[in-house]
Amino acid sequence: METNLVYDNKSKKITLSDSSNPQYKLEIDQLNQLTTEIIAQGSDVPPLPSAENFNKDLSKMIKKLYEGGVQAFKMNKFEESCKQFSIGIEMINRRSKFESFQLTIQELSLFLMSRTDAYLKNKQYLKAFNDVDLLLNMQMNSPDNFLRRGVANFFLGNYEAARSDYQRGLSFDENNQRLQHELNICLDKILEENGDRL
Amino acid sequence: MASEYNYDESGETWPFFILAILSLFLIPLTIKYISRILSNENPTLYNESIKGSINLKIDLANKDAIEKFQNKQKSSKIFNKTLILLIIGWSILIYIGKYVTKEADLTGLFDPYTILDISFTASEKEIKSKYRKLSLKYHPDKLPRDLTEEARQQMEQEYIRVTSAYKALTDEAIRENFLKYGHPDGEQSTVHGIALPKFLVDGKYNYLVVLLYFVVIGLLLPYLVGKWWSNVKSHTRNGLHVNSASNFVRAVIDRDPAKIITPKTILDWILESEEINQQFKHLSKEERLNLVDLHFNRKFDKEREDDKIELISKLPFLINGLIDIAVAFKLQDVVLPAEDVKKCVISATPINGKYHEILQLPFVDPKVVESQDVKKLGKLFAITEEQAKAALGIKNEKEFKIAMQVASKIPSLRILEAEFKVPGEEDGIVPPNSTAHISLKFLVKSPRLKSCPDIDDEKLKDEENLEYMKNPLYINEKQPSLPYSYAPYFPHPFKLNWSCYLINQKENKIVEDSTKILLENIDLSNLEISQEEWIDEKNENLVISTFKIPFTQPTGQIGKYHYRLIMKNNAYFGSDLDIPIDLKVTAIPLKNLDNLKKKLEDIGKEKESDDEEDSDSDISDPEEDSLAGALAALKGQAVKKKSKKVEEIDEDEEEEEPFSDINTDTEDEGDN
């Protein structure tokens, strides 16, 4: 597999000369973004990511958005809540890539969890599934996340998938009442769908 | 006398040499060839002998094309290069055996017992009397006068033989010679024949031998070795082309972690494999996809039917190759969709959607099926026949019957017991670092049957005989093998089986070192019993099946481990199994160890009584994870908790979640 890469000396960016290899586009975009940020940031070597150089202004705004989202959620304005969380996630995405990733991911996972709940409440199950699936793929293996994905799967009609989500959640916390309860509902549903009984 | 090497002048031994060499090749080859033909059994006949198998024939529009394909496969099994080789080989063998070999000349051998015609146990007296009789017959003075010169000579020779035989048995010195060298006259010259006839070595044919040597060593040997090596290099052990294998590995490693692997992704990988590229050069990627799509939708295209069938028949093998690679990387999120694609290929159902169970039946109308609510086979038998007919979209009464018959014979597994077991341990106890296996007890259930009988625990126990103790997996082989599966749309017949994967719940990956485990033996006779028999717990005909899965690692330390067992059927939807299994490793309730401890305590007490002052004060409670701690815990004594760190971390996370009370009242909101 061969591709021609073109390096632009002014913008320091790399471009694909032909569009025949779309699989490289993502990687090249990522590389270009890192280049842009390292230039914008001023010094030759970016400072070590730490809690100190974490962008506090952004943190404040993000926190505000988060509180707004929670507020809306509590007032049962789920659509509004989803919107707030989405803006928050967008903002987290804008953070410089050289900031502490550990802190960023913490913020992001909090937002994703909250947005999943808002989506679930708003009956946007597919979107909820995507969010919580991303969380689980990032190894946020808390029983609550399994509960969230299980519920999303349940309402999407994937009862078997919901069942295995609940069961995997239970392997992290065996006595989780909530998971057990949902699992029972799900098992009943599977039996019912199969026209079977105990 | 020294030994010497001679050419095989009279052509006695070389035919035997060739016979030996030929049979060395021919016999194994013949056995292999015959067993391959015999393995080509008729699936219909085979299934007839198995209870619970599906043996229905339906006529499809592409019947002729499929038959053509099958006949081609069959004839390529019988008429191939091996057959030519066998015919030539055996005819040479028979020719040599019958015409060229001569009976070996044994006259050179000297055996006094045969010459005198007496038994080995004969006494000296017997030998003497026999010798006397014979010498009377052959003695030159006693011969009749009217004999010819030639006969007389012969008789004299015979007399000498008889005399030396007699001497060999009686005279000390001659006897010694006989015992030592096998001949009364002492050492004889030994002749080592070289198994080449003389006319080939001396004389005008000798260039033939040189030519033969040149061909064998100079050409044939390098060619064979080279061919073997290039085959080794170009195919993996499982017969997958190395280019395909490396493509699969690359696809599996380089995949975008943010993207889910769908059946479509799997299909794309498979259709770009080297085998397909080589055989279907004339088709572009889109055309291949179109052909597969045609198959998935059970549509036929007269012009491309042969290509389609060839292509389809290749897919399961390639998918299995991909699965093997994904298992090595422990990626269950590749394995599971790949298994589903395989089933779609075999049952000719679309790769997407939730109606696979219904769509796999013959004669169904996909449009009708996908517009209604019945998704599971079991539901078909819970509704009235009219409703079922409407759900399947089949108008013809006969076709409907066949479809329902197939549906009722698709086995599902109802688990009765699934646990880790260590042979020889009581009450299912799994001690640390032991060799355990997973024991499954289940009922084969037809979708037609509802509910589940109560099975007595006693019936679930394995008989603990010696063989079980040695290898508990032997139970798997003792059950009858599975029939051929019902797959009228798939070009060649194959047997039913389940592939089992064990997944670690914490990591969500296939367990280290485990491979795909095949379940190939189950008794399916439960598929034929009636509902009444099914729920009758005293019914003797109800078969409880067992499957033992090897657990590749030794069980770890004391604690609880969570696994998930997935069993994927290779042909039917609705037969899969996916259950969580917990492994609880506990300390062994060793009675012996207990006794030992008592003894130790007694000794300790004696000491204590000796010097009462330093009693308990500086002997603290044993720590939790020491052996003493484990023993103490068993007895319910105080154990120090080593650390609480793990729990604290968990608590931190909880606090951040504002909606731990997410409302998910699944019951209220019902079927969305």
Side-chain angles (χ1 to χ4, degrees):
Chain A
M1 279 187 279
E2 275 183 23
T3 333
N4 284 324
L5 290 178
V6 181
Y7 178 65
D8 181 5
N9 217 356
K10 262 183 197 160
S11 66
K12 316 279 185 220
K13 279 186 180 175
I14 290 172
T15 37
L16 273 172
S17 60
D18 52 359
S19 52
S20 59
N21 281 308
Q23 70 264 39
Y24 300 131
K25 196 176 173 304
L26 180 71
E27 280 173 43
I28 286 174
D29 285 350
Q30 285 171 341
L31 190 64
N32 284 338
Q33 176 151 25
L34 289 178
T35 320
T36 326
E37 280 182 16
I38 215 166
I39 293 169
Q41 171 266 340
S43 58
D44 284 350
V45 181
L48 277 180
S50 65
E52 283 79 52
N53 58 25
F54 199 58
N55 191 331
K56 304 262 168 17
D57 296 338
L58 265 178
S59 298
K60 256 181 219 158
M61 275 159 72
I62 289 168
K63 196 157 190 214
K64 217 167 245 172
L65 279 167
Y66 181 67
E67 277 159 9
V70 174
Q71 202 65 32
F73 189 90
K74 283 188 178 150
M75 290 161 73
N76 289 343
K77 289 182 191 160
F78 303 118
E79 204 148 338
E80 173 63 24
S81 170
C82 294
K83 214 178 265 168
Q84 295 272 350
F85 290 134
S86 298
I87 299 170
I89 288 171
E90 188 70 14
M91 206 166 274
I92 293 169
N93 260 333
R94 297 262 174 84
R95 272 191 189 281
S96 163
K97 299 293 176 273
F98 291 99
E99 281 183 41
S100 165
F101 184 64
Q102 216 180 352
L103 295 174
T104 316
I105 204 103
Q106 248 178 33
E107 269 181 347
L108 183 65
S109 60
L110 185 62
F111 265 80
L112 279 174
M113 279 185 229
S114 316
R115 189 166 74 169
T116 309
D117 293 338
Y119 278 143
L120 282 177
K121 276 298 214 177
N122 208 20
K123 298 188 181 170
Q124 288 169 290
Y125 299 114
L126 196 58
K127 282 185 170 173
F129 175 85
N130 283 336
D131 278 358
V132 70
D133 195 52
L134 183 61
L135 276 172
L136 285 173
N137 280 338
M138 295 193 301
Q139 300 295 318
M140 304 282 170
N141 289 331
S142 76
D144 279 319
N145 282 343
F146 288 107
L147 178 67
R148 290 185 177 104
R149 192 166 76 177
V151 170
N153 263 326
F154 184 89
F155 284 111
L156 287 169
N158 305 326
Y159 303 119
E160 290 288 334
R163 179 189 53 76
S164 78
D165 279 339
Y166 295 143
Q167 282 169 342
R168 186 155 178 237
L170 280 170
S171 79
F172 287 89
D173 175 13
E174 273 178 67
N175 303 315
N176 193 316
Q177 298 288 322
R178 194 65 194 279
L179 277 171
Q180 262 156 7
H181 176 70
E182 295 295 335
L183 178 61
N184 284 337
I185 295 172
C186 185
L187 288 176
D188 286 346
K189 190 74 194 173
I190 289 173
L191 270 182
E192 184 199 316
E193 201 193 23
N194 213 353
D196 207 342
R197 57 182 183 270
L198 271 179
Chain B
M1 270 181 250
S3 59
E4 56 181 283
Y5 288 93
N6 267 355
Y7 285 114
D8 186 14
E9 302 217 17
S10 46
E12 275 165 12
T13 39
W14 70 268
F16 291 103
F17 180 68
I18 292 186
L19 282 185
I21 298 257
L22 264 180
S23 52
L24 206 66
F25 287 107
L26 277 180
I27 292 174
L29 199 67
T30 315
I31 293 175
K32 206 172 138 196
Y33 178 77
I34 291 178
S35 70
R36 205 165 58 188
I37 292 180
L38 287 184
S39 72
N40 198 4
E41 58 197 351
N42 186 336
T44 327
L45 284 178
Y46 182 82
N47 274 6
E48 263 168 23
S49 63
I50 291 185
K51 266 194 168 178
S53 62
I54 306 177
N55 224 355
L56 295 162
K57 276 248 151 117
I58 60 170
D59 278 345
L60 297 172
N62 64 346
K63 193 179 73 175
D64 293 340
I66 287 185
E67 247 167 44
K68 193 172 138 200
F69 174 82
Q70 285 179 348
N71 286 335
K72 207 169 119 195
Q73 288 230 316
K74 239 184 243 167
S75 60
S76 75
K77 239 183 195 176
I78 297 174
F79 302 104
N80 48 21
K81 280 183 213 152
T82 321
L83 184 70
I84 299 172
L85 222 83
L86 280 180
I87 291 176
I88 295 175
W90 279 111
S91 23
I92 294 177
L93 196 83
I94 291 169
Y95 175 78
I96 291 178
K98 204 156 180 194
Y99 300 108
V100 186
T101 51
K102 292 180 187 163
E103 244 183 79
D105 178 18
L106 295 175
T107 47
L109 287 177
F110 178 84
D111 182 3
Y113 293 99
T114 352
I115 295 170
L116 292 178
D117 192 23
I118 48 174
S119 75
F120 284 106
T121 52
S123 68
E124 212 162 310
K125 213 173 161 192
E126 277 175 297
I127 297 173
K128 236 177 216 168
S129 74
K130 188 82 191 182
Y131 168 64
R132 221 163 263 152
K133 253 186 234 164
L134 283 174
S135 65
L136 277 180
K137 193 171 157 200
Y138 291 123
H139 196 284
D141 297 348
K142 302 270 165 27
L143 290 178
R145 278 163 199 274
D146 53 341
L147 266 180
T148 58
E149 192 61 24
E150 206 179 315
R152 184 178 290 276
Q153 286 260 309
Q154 218 175 347
M155 289 301 211
E156 272 169 17
Q157 280 292 318
E158 196 63 24
Y159 178 71
I160 293 169
R161 263 162 60 84
V162 169
T163 317
S164 57
Y166 173 67
K167 279 188 180 154
L169 293 178
T170 48
D171 186 301
E172 270 307 309
I174 295 174
R175 189 180 166 79
E176 181 118 322
N177 265 345
F178 171 62
L179 285 178
K180 224 171 178 178
Y181 303 111
H183 203 276
D185 295 345
E187 200 175 352
Q188 299 281 301
S189 70
T190 345
V191 176
H192 296 277
I194 291 175
L196 277 178
K198 196 172 184 190
F199 71 89
L200 271 183
V201 184
D202 295 337
K204 52 182 174 176
Y205 294 113
N206 62 0
Y207 68 91
L208 273 182
V209 180
V210 179
L211 198 71
L212 187 79
Y213 276 132
F214 177 72
V215 167
V216 169
I217 295 174
L219 299 176
L220 199 65
L221 211 66
Y223 173 73
L224 286 179
V225 171
K227 199 176 169 194
W228 168 78
W229 177 241
S230 80
N231 203 26
V232 165
K233 261 196 341 195
S234 66
H235 288 86
T236 67
R237 204 173 33 172
N238 295 337
L240 193 68
H241 197 285
V242 276
N243 286 359
S244 311
S246 68
N247 279 346
F248 290 161
V249 170
R250 205 169 295 141
V252 165
I253 296 178
D254 286 354
R255 74 197 212 286
D256 185 350
K259 273 188 189 150
I260 300 172
I261 302 222
T262 58
K264 177 73 174 53
T265 331
I266 303 274
L267 200 60
D268 284 343
W269 291 349
I270 295 294
L271 289 179
E272 277 172 11
S273 63
E274 186 66 27
E275 275 89 343
I276 304 281
N277 280 343
Q278 278 178 6
Q279 201 179 348
F280 301 93
K281 274 190 203 117
H282 56 289
L283 297 175
S284 71
K285 173 110 195 287
E286 278 70 43
E287 285 173 310
R288 291 174 203 165
L289 257 179
N290 281 341
L291 282 184
V292 178
D293 248 0
L294 268 185
H295 174 71
F296 284 157
N297 292 313
R298 299 185 175 179
K299 293 209 172 86
F300 309 108
D301 180 338
K302 269 211 176 116
E303 281 159 35
R304 296 184 290 166
E305 200 58 36
D306 289 347
D307 267 347
K308 189 184 105 180
I309 289 173
E310 286 274 358
L311 180 63
I312 293 304
S313 73
K314 283 270 174 315
L315 296 183
F317 168 75
L318 294 170
I319 297 174
N320 278 336
L322 173 65
I323 290 176
D324 287 341
I325 286 168
V327 167
F329 284 98
K330 304 191 285 175
L331 294 172
Q332 53 114 346
D333 45 353
V334 177
V335 172
L336 301 183
E339 285 280 357
D340 284 338
V341 175
K342 197 166 76 184
K343 269 196 264 197
C344 289
V345 169
I346 280 161
S347 62
T349 49
I351 48 174
N352 295 319
K354 293 175 184 167
Y355 290 90
H356 286 129
E357 284 194 24
I358 305 293
L359 288 177
Q360 68 181 324
L361 301 175
F363 306 120
V364 291
D365 183 343
K367 276 194 196 111
V368 177
V369 170
E370 277 166 13
S371 63
Q372 49 84 49
D373 278 337
V374 179
K375 294 185 187 117
K376 302 280 168 188
L377 291 172
K379 193 80 180 173
L380 278 182
F381 296 94
I383 51 182
T384 65
E385 217 164 86
E386 279 312 305
Q387 282 170 322
K389 217 169 167 180
L392 295 179
I394 302 178
K395 304 217 165 57
N396 183 327
E397 188 64 35
K398 209 174 134 203
E399 289 182 352
F400 173 70
K401 279 247 163 69
I402 290 179
M404 290 302 270
Q405 231 173 317
V406 171
S408 76
K409 292 260 184 84
I410 288 181
S412 60
L413 311 180
R414 177 62 74 92
I415 291 290
L416 299 169
E417 183 190 89
E419 58 182 20
F420 281 86
K421 265 190 187 161
V422 178
E425 292 294 338
E426 285 165 39
D427 314 321
I429 283 176
V430 180
N433 296 322
S434 55
T435 311
H437 65 269
I438 297 173
S439 167
L440 283 187
K441 295 277 176 184
F442 57 89
L443 294 169
V444 173
K445 177 173 173 287
S446 155
R448 186 170 46 84
L449 304 170
K450 300 296 168 200
S451 189
C452 182
D454 291 324
I455 303 288
D456 198 15
D457 276 351
E458 277 304 307
K459 281 190 183 170
L460 300 183
K461 286 219 170 104
D462 289 312
E463 191 197 340
E464 297 212 330
N465 52 22
L466 187 65
E467 205 162 346
Y468 174 79
M469 292 298 190
K470 273 197 292 195
N471 177 20
L473 307 182
Y474 89 101
I475 296 179
N476 293 349
E477 265 100 64
K478 278 182 79 182
Q479 294 168 80
S481 63
L482 282 162
Y484 281 89
S485 55
Y486 180 75
Y489 294 89
F490 188 70
H492 54 76
F494 61 95
K495 278 186 187 164
L496 210 58
N497 66 38
W498 273 266
S499 311
C500 310
Y501 307 95
L502 194 64
I503 291 167
N504 189 327
Q505 287 278 45
K506 287 261 150 77
E507 296 168 15
N508 207 19
K509 284 192 168 168
I510 295 172
V511 170
E512 193 89 40
D513 296 334
S514 73
T515 46
K516 175 165 91 173
I517 301 139
L518 283 183
L519 166 58
E520 290 172 311
N521 301 329
I522 323 183
D523 193 337
L524 292 181
S525 53
N526 282 359
L527 292 177
E528 297 190 343
I529 62 176
S530 69
Q531 176 71 28
E532 288 73 38
E533 284 176 290
W534 169 254
I535 46 171
D536 175 17
E537 48 218 69
K538 286 185 195 78
N539 182 10
E540 293 295 319
N541 293 332
L542 198 66
V543 180
I544 300 171
S545 304
T546 310
F547 183 42
K548 304 271 181 186
I549 302 167
F551 188 55
T552 44
Q553 305 161 310
T555 57
Q557 296 303 313
I558 294 172
K560 205 162 181 187
Y561 305 89
H562 302 273
Y563 295 97
R564 172 181 175 198
L565 176 70
I566 296 186
M567 292 170 67
K568 285 278 187 184
N569 190 274
N570 64 346
Y572 304 139
F573 288 97
S575 297
D576 297 349
L577 190 82
D578 175 359
I579 48 164
I581 300 182
D582 293 344
L583 165 62
K584 204 173 163 196
V585 181
T586 44
I588 331 158
L590 273 184
K591 281 157 202 151
N592 303 346
L593 238 167
D594 235 28
N595 292 339
L596 200 78
K597 206 184 172 220
K598 243 178 221 159
K599 262 188 201 164
L600 280 175
E601 275 173 353
D602 287 345
I603 296 168
K605 265 179 203 158
E606 277 169 28
K607 269 194 182 168
E608 269 173 43
S609 54
D610 284 351
D611 42 3
E612 201 89 8
E613 280 127 272
D614 58 71
S615 59
D616 292 45
S617 57
D618 55 28
I619 303 172
S620 56
D621 288 332
E623 275 208 2
E624 192 182 18
D625 57 359
S626 64
L627 178 66
L631 281 168
L634 275 174
K635 295 195 155 187
Q637 289 170 356
V639 179
K640 260 200 222 163
K641 279 268 176 200
K642 212 180 179 191
S643 74
K644 277 192 168 175
K645 251 184 206 162
V646 185
E647 284 155 50
E648 279 161 22
I649 291 169
D650 282 347
E651 277 162 28
D652 276 353
E653 265 184 11
E654 301 279 298
E655 272 173 273
E656 286 178 354
E657 286 174 35
F659 312 121
S660 44
D661 62 335
I662 37 170
N663 182 1
T664 49
D665 283 337
T666 34
E667 274 166 317
D668 300 350
E669 293 173 52
D671 315 342
N672 290 41

